[in-house]
Amino acid sequence: MTIKTEGIHPGEFLLSEANGTRSREVVVITAGSGLLRAGTLISQLTAANALTPTAKAGNTGNGTIGSVVVTSAAASGPHVLTIVEAAANGGVFEVYDPSGQFVGEGHVGQAFIGGGLTFTLGDGSTDFVVGDGFTLAVKASLGEWTAYDDDGTDDGRRTADGILYASVDASVVDVEATAVLRDAEVIERLLTGLDVNGAADLAGLGIVIRP
């Protein structure tokens, strides 16, 4: 006989909350957070946004990426840049986000602006050829949310700032979700990631934990 375990339903951990929508807010769970179930303690990230380029193995051209600016409008995760047209001291490239969506077209030696990213792919001493490319590891998590982890990186995730209302899968791309951020009573046994420090953080938000 196959045994199936029923998961936590949306909002099942709630005993009470404030009137209207005071207790809840829509947040963005950052890509790479994985599958988070309802009742998971979550944290708002405070780490600066960043982009780390890695040249594709076997590239002919040796140009580099610089003058980088990343805003939280960008999707967190690996973007792909590929040269689609070659030219002496130049060329054309395309950028795709982690979900495979087209972000935009750019030119070697000129500033690329799109999808929350700004950067310049400079021409090197050897020109790029069609198929050359880069992986752009983007962290655009400033102000976004992930699972609370008191022992994790000191980027905001060590403070519990709320509770995820319904399960989401943010393994690959950013996902909008509803969270309980203030003035509520919740059931302890239906929470994920709760510890002493997390409980203290929630208490400061007016979130009362009941047995």
Side-chain angles (χ1 to χ4, degrees), residues 37-149:
R37 68 178 187 173
T40 296
L41 273 63
I42 55 175
S43 306
Q44 189 169 29
L45 296 171
T46 58
N49 298 327
L51 181 154
T52 304
T54 301
K56 180 180 175 182
N59 272 2
T60 296
N62 60 0
T64 58
I65 290 175
S67 303
V68 175
V69 177
V70 180
T71 74
S72 293
S76 294
H79 291 56
V80 176
L81 181 158
T82 304
I83 301 293
V84 294
E85 294 181 24
N89 302 315
V92 178
F93 60 84
E94 293 180 344
V95 178
Y96 289 82
D97 73 11
S99 64
Q101 296 296 310
F102 180 68
V103 175
E105 181 180 272
H107 294 77
V108 176
Q110 300 179 22
F112 172 87
I113 302 174
L117 305 177
T118 300
F119 62 84
T120 299
L121 174 57
D123 178 46
S125 58
T126 302
D127 291 333
F128 290 110
V129 301
V130 173
D132 281 357
F134 290 79
T135 297
L136 312 177
V138 174
K139 291 184 178 180
S141 307
L142 181 63
E144 295 182 356
W145 297 67
T146 193
Y148 162 71
D149 182 359

Side-chain angles (χ1 to χ4, degrees), residues 16 33 121 204 210:
S16 70
S33 296
L121 174 57
R210 302 295 190 194

